[in-house]
Amino acid sequence: MIVASQIRDYVNHIWPERLSFDGDNVGLLVGRADKEVKKILITLDVDEWVVEEAIKASADVILSHHPLMFRPIKRLTSADPMQKTLMLLAAHDITLISAHTNLDCVRGGLNDLLAKKLGIFSLEVIEPVGEHDGKVCGFGRVGEVEEGTTVGSMLQRCVEALGIKGARYVGDVDRQVRKVAVNCGGGADEINHCIAMEVDLFITGDVKYNPFRDAYESGMAIIDAGHYETEHIVTELFSAMITENFSEIEIVESKANVPVINYYIKK
């Protein structure tokens, strides 16, 4: 019999919680550590619709990338969406485990997967935060792409590899790039590091106007491929981990977790 604490402990073993960003909320967040686990729902986000999906699927555990709670709460009512989701989890005895910035930072984690999908090789960490298994871990990855790659061809890679309709960007689409960096999710905090490292192109999400301007004025191209869009691939890591180490557990990939930001394109 597999119980939730075994899942939590293994997640912490391969994606150590000590690597998570200060203020992050990772690990077993809701539910019983001794909950028997026969079925896991894997997802990027957790909300009311994802929990309803887990209930219908009879999932015992939800394994998410984004935590449900970042701050302490003083009340638990149905008036607040997050609190309502917590109440649903508790009412249906569903355990929630989250691996967030620890999974971003660890080698072989989400940033490495994103870089691999975009054809970036010879990877190094942009901002180190610690070590695990003798390897430097931290935020973002920087590496190289093959000679002749352009900003435009990297835009096309993002569209194809991440299944997106488009992306915001700064830079000349015909400009050739060689040194390319990524930081999954909302990684704009790494822009100044990338400028200092003389990166040709930085791919991330959630970039505001002024950081775009900073990159433009410094001659670095940026592709903002979206927060959800650069991280929904996390389910591949979750699925591989469960299949390899807990093969008797059934995996359900969330269909209710969808990108909430849409784009209107003038016809």
Side-chain angles (χ1 to χ4, degrees):
M1 181 179 76
I2 304 296
V3 296
S5 61
Q6 291 174 265
I7 307 294
R8 184 264 323 274
D9 291 345
Y10 192 77
V11 165
N12 186 42
H13 172 66
I14 59 173
W15 307 320
E17 294 177 15
R18 61 181 171 78
L19 295 176
S20 61
F21 189 74
D22 289 344
D24 200 2
N25 195 18
V26 297
L28 198 158
L29 304 184
V30 178
R32 295 189 289 120
D34 63 352
K35 169 78 174 181
E36 183 177 3
V37 185
K38 295 181 178 179
K39 187 181 292 188
I40 290 181
L41 184 141
I42 56 177
T43 182
L44 172 61
D45 302 299
V46 183
D47 57 25
E48 177 184 348
W49 299 278
V50 170
V51 176
E52 291 284 4
E53 181 182 32
I55 294 167
K56 291 177 182 177
S58 299
D60 305 296
V61 166
I62 294 175
L63 177 59
S64 75
H65 183 49
H66 289 153
L68 180 56
M69 303 169 288
F70 279 101
R71 301 177 183 85
I73 60 174
K74 295 183 178 181
R75 55 180 55 83
L76 196 59
T77 75
S78 60
D80 176 87
M82 184 266 288
Q83 293 172 23
K84 185 177 181 181
T85 303
L86 286 169
M87 292 171 67
L88 271 176
L89 287 166
H92 292 272
D93 192 23
I94 297 174
T95 297
L96 172 62
I97 299 170
S98 298
H100 190 209
T101 50
N102 47 325
L103 180 50
D104 296 337
C105 287
V106 75
R107 298 307 292 264
L110 189 50
N111 272 308
D112 292 286
L113 177 61
L114 177 60
K116 180 180 178 180
K117 283 183 171 292
L118 297 177
I120 307 168
F121 53 88
S122 300
L123 299 176
E124 297 180 1
V125 172
I126 295 175
E127 185 182 359
V129 298
E131 290 190 3
H132 179 59
D133 285 342
K135 298 178 181 178
V136 175
C137 302
F139 293 105
R141 299 292 182 268
V142 59
E144 296 183 356
V145 291
E146 66 272 19
E147 190 173 349
T149 302
T150 64
V151 172
S153 61
M154 289 304 295
L155 279 163
Q156 187 62 31
R157 286 188 198 181
C158 288
V159 168
E160 293 174 355
L162 303 176
I164 59 180
K165 295 179 180 179
R168 300 189 304 157
Y169 71 95
V170 162
D172 180 353
V173 293
D174 295 322
R175 176 190 170 191
Q176 292 194 8
V177 295
R178 194 66 189 272
K179 193 172 185 180
V180 179
V182 300
N183 195 15
C184 60
D189 287 347
E190 301 305 317
I191 287 176
N192 288 335
H193 290 284
C194 289
I195 292 172
M197 296 172 74
E198 298 183 339
V199 167
D200 298 315
L201 169 65
F202 180 43
I203 302 169
T204 188
D206 290 348
V207 181
K208 294 183 178 180
Y209 178 75
N210 286 334
F212 263 135
R213 288 286 320 181
D214 291 342
Y216 172 77
E217 294 173 11
S218 300
M220 183 179 75
I222 288 183
I223 295 175
D224 182 341
H227 193 132
Y228 173 97
E229 291 77 6
T230 57
E231 292 199 318
H232 70 94
I233 56 175
V234 72
T235 54
E236 295 180 29
L237 294 175
F238 288 157
S239 182
M241 181 275 291
I242 296 165
T243 300
E244 292 170 11
N245 300 281
F246 304 97
S247 58
E248 62 268 56
I249 294 178
E250 182 179 348
I251 302 169
V252 178
E253 185 171 345
S254 177
K255 299 295 188 293
N257 181 215
V258 296
V260 298
I261 299 172
N262 298 301
Y263 297 89
Y264 175 79
I265 300 174
K266 182 179 178 181
K267 297 180 180 179

